[in-house]
Amino acid sequence: MYKSFFGFQQAPFDKGIDSSMLFQSEAYKEVLARLDYLKTTRGFGLITGDPGVGKTSTLRVFADSLNPSLYKVMYFPMSSGTTMDFYRGLAFSLGEQPKFRKVELFFQIQNAITDLYDKRRITPVFILDEMQSASAQFFHDLSIIFNFDMDKRNPFILILTGLPTLANRLALNQNRSLDQRLVTRFHFSPLTPDEVRDYIKHRFKHAGVSRNLINENAYEAISSSTGGYPRLVGNLVTQCLILAFQKQTDLIDEEIVFAASADAGI
């Protein structure tokens, strides 16, 4: 279809792209620098951003960069199951058979983290996603579970990530104890107009096409229509490529972008 028409070796916005090939926006580089600092200090970190801005992709890059002999990465979306399911999942991922009672489960998780860090010299890395939907009680529980030696040390890395409302929730009085323990925090911003252009060219190049397929006015229309959110950019440009193929033209202009925006509901 459009791939052979334009000469792409693969779909340019395929989700399966290797993490090393991701576009390095300023936000991307900054958040990786924050995460690298967190890797050194350990403890709690916070990453927020709107849907489609690149949070999960960047966290995948960070996770892939960790030596598996020194770090054990565990990813949990808060949206799946009950809170107790979540705690049991933590215990199970640490190699434990989860206890039934909550207090026993907490001690089990703490002991497993301590054994992993002190005896096996492996730092557990917990990535907790969609945390804007977590309850105040859950935030309180995290402060208890991840309090070691009266908060004297951090034998773990725990990254809270979610929508911007997560930061607002942590700032509330009842969640202040957890908020104050954050070692680093970062809010992910969308791509700038220049970054949108570079991002598209970057994805095209890695898909096998280096020549320019989009004129300058079209780049501006894409940036304006998508607000710079990479997921929307990918969806819109893919629709543009399909329409350009149907029109048998090898250059995308602003008219194609406007038509594609209507088709994609952007």
Side-chain angles (χ1 to χ4, degrees):
M1 199 176 150
Y2 77 83
K3 287 188 291 184
S4 58
F5 178 76
F6 289 105
F8 289 113
Q9 298 172 3
Q10 61 188 43
F13 297 96
D14 188 349
K15 285 186 177 181
I17 186 173
D18 188 271
S19 60
S20 63
M21 300 296 184
L22 291 178
F23 176 68
Q24 298 187 15
S25 66
E26 288 303 313
Y28 169 93
K29 290 185 283 189
E30 179 63 26
V31 74
L32 284 184
R34 304 286 183 94
L35 291 173
D36 191 58
Y37 173 72
L38 183 63
K39 184 172 70 172
T40 302
T41 62
R42 299 182 302 280
F44 290 89
L46 172 68
I47 298 176
T48 59
D50 291 318
V53 78
K55 301 186 300 297
T56 303
S57 297
T58 305
L59 286 168
R60 178 160 52 91
V61 172
F62 173 68
D64 289 347
S65 73
L66 298 175
N67 186 335
S69 64
L70 299 176
Y71 298 91
K72 179 178 176 61
V73 179
M74 290 155 279
Y75 173 83
F76 298 91
M78 187 61 205
S79 57
S80 59
T82 66
T83 302
M84 284 301 292
D85 287 337
F86 186 91
Y87 299 141
R88 293 188 182 99
L90 285 179
F92 187 78
S93 67
L94 288 164
E96 300 291 322
Q97 185 61 40
K99 300 289 187 180
F100 182 74
R101 295 177 63 238
K102 186 176 180 180
V103 63
E104 293 176 341
L105 192 54
F106 283 10
F107 279 120
Q108 184 181 33
I109 293 170
Q110 280 197 328
N111 290 336
I113 291 172
T114 301
D115 287 347
L116 197 63
Y117 185 79
D118 291 338
K119 295 180 180 179
R120 297 173 57 188
R121 297 294 187 264
I122 295 176
T123 302
V125 180
F126 303 95
I127 300 175
L128 310 187
D129 204 355
E130 302 296 340
M131 288 296 292
Q132 72 279 348
S133 60
S135 66
Q137 181 61 50
F138 180 78
F139 290 134
H140 178 69
D141 288 347
L142 284 182
S143 295
I144 296 174
I145 297 173
F146 291 91
N147 186 327
F148 292 83
D149 297 337
M150 299 178 69
D151 205 22
K152 189 170 65 175
R153 67 186 188 123
N154 293 322
F156 64 89
I157 295 171
L158 191 150
I159 303 169
L160 305 173
T161 180
L163 300 180
T165 53
L166 173 58
N168 298 331
R169 295 203 56 213
L170 289 174
L172 297 175
N173 285 334
Q174 65 262 40
N175 301 324
R176 193 65 61 84
S177 62
L178 180 58
D179 187 66
Q180 291 175 348
R181 293 179 63 190
L182 293 174
V183 174
T184 186
R185 63 185 78 207
F186 184 78
H187 178 69
F188 230 113
S189 300
L191 302 174
T192 66
D194 286 342
E195 287 178 330
V196 168
R197 180 190 301 105
D198 294 341
Y199 170 65
I200 296 170
K201 290 182 177 180
H202 174 85
R203 296 300 291 256
F204 280 4
K205 181 178 179 181
H206 284 289
V209 174
S210 296
R211 71 184 187 279
N212 191 31
L213 302 179
I214 304 175
N215 71 25
E216 199 60 34
N217 289 336
Y219 277 123
E220 293 177 6
I222 292 168
S223 178
S224 177
S225 296
T226 63
Y229 290 95
R231 184 184 300 161
L232 292 181
V233 172
N235 291 342
L236 178 55
V237 174
T238 298
Q239 189 63 32
C240 288
L241 292 169
I242 293 172
L243 287 182
F245 164 70
Q246 292 172 348
K247 292 176 177 290
Q248 293 293 290
T249 177
D250 60 0
L251 183 64
I252 295 171
D253 58 20
E254 61 270 30
E255 290 186 7
I256 290 178
V257 174
F258 294 145
S261 296
D263 290 346
I266 297 175

